[in-house]
Amino acid sequence: MAEIGGTAKLPPSGDKHSEGSERLWVVFVTAVIVLLVAMVVYTSVHWGFHPPSQVETIDSTSLHKGGEFSEANLGTVIAPDGSAVVHVVAQQYAFIPNCLVVPAGKPVTFRLASADVVHGFIVDGTNVNAMVVPGYVTTVHTTFQEPGERLMPCHEFCGVGHQAMWAHVRIVEASRFPTDADKQKAVNCAS
Ligand code: CUA
């Protein structure tokens, strides 16, 4: 091998100095691995992050034809115990409905399906963050403690109109929802 720019001297093998450096690397790499594992444990336990735990498939081409994601079912329905189920369709370039209304302090289950390509589902300032992949139902459970209004932008690039694709989540006092489950139809901010 040609020598470039002077004489590089390698330490002889078994040198005390290089052994010390290797030991230092082992300690450093082990520390990095321990740190990364600790971060995974901390975020999953403390922030409630977890990988998708259930896989549910759906025919994305026929959402509008009936069933769970037909137009009349999109929006929020309140169960007798006060918990909410919210059905949302994501499509180029809008969420339907584009303003979701949910009760504060009650368990909320979001169920989303895409009618075309991959979209992103994130609720600003919360740990709600998931992909909406065509062919699958995205289910996210959460509870919003405080009333207020939050942004819900699509955060997966889905085409030329991606940056204009976003919705709102309006969190209201649970007492503002009807408690009689029999009379209920799915509601949104405009209801
Ligand atoms: Cu939908 Cu980006």
Side-chain angles (χ1 to χ4, degrees), residues 72-152:
N73 288 337
L74 299 182
T76 307
V77 171
I78 305 291
D81 66 357
S83 66
V85 179
V86 189
H87 285 98
V88 182
V89 166
Q91 63 180 40
Q92 289 167 317
Y93 297 99
F95 291 99
I96 307 167
N98 72 354
C99 183
L100 316 178
V101 60
V102 295
K106 299 283 185 183
V108 176
T109 301
F110 290 101
R111 287 179 59 80
L112 288 89
S114 166
D116 38 46
V117 300
V118 175
H119 296 279
F121 169 50
I122 188 168
V123 182
D124 168 51
T126 71
N127 69 349
V128 174
N129 185 344
M131 286 166 80
V132 188
V133 182
Y136 296 89
V137 178
T138 298
T139 304
V140 177
H141 304 281
T142 191
T143 300
F144 298 98
Q145 297 304 340
E146 297 294 323
E149 186 115 4
R150 295 192 178 277
L151 283 178
M152 188 185 125

Side-chain angles (χ1 to χ4, degrees), residues 30-120:
T30 307
V32 168
I33 292 168
V34 169
L35 179 71
L36 292 176
V37 171
M39 279 167 67
V40 170
V41 171
Y42 177 78
T43 54
S44 56
V45 173
H46 185 69
W47 291 346
F49 283 2
H50 52 83
S53 50
Q54 118 282 30
V55 175
E56 207 178 321
T57 57
I58 194 165
D59 179 5
S60 286
T61 60
S62 63
L63 296 178
H64 58 288
K65 288 181 184 159
E68 193 181 348
F69 290 94
S70 63
E71 202 177 343
N73 288 337
L74 299 182
T76 307
V77 171
I78 305 291
D81 66 357
S83 66
V85 179
V86 189
H87 285 98
V88 182
V89 166
Q91 63 180 40
Q92 289 167 317
Y93 297 99
F95 291 99
I96 307 167
N98 72 354
C99 183
L100 316 178
V101 60
V102 295
K106 299 283 185 183
V108 176
T109 301
F110 290 101
R111 287 179 59 80
L112 288 89
S114 166
D116 38 46
V117 300
V118 175
H119 296 279

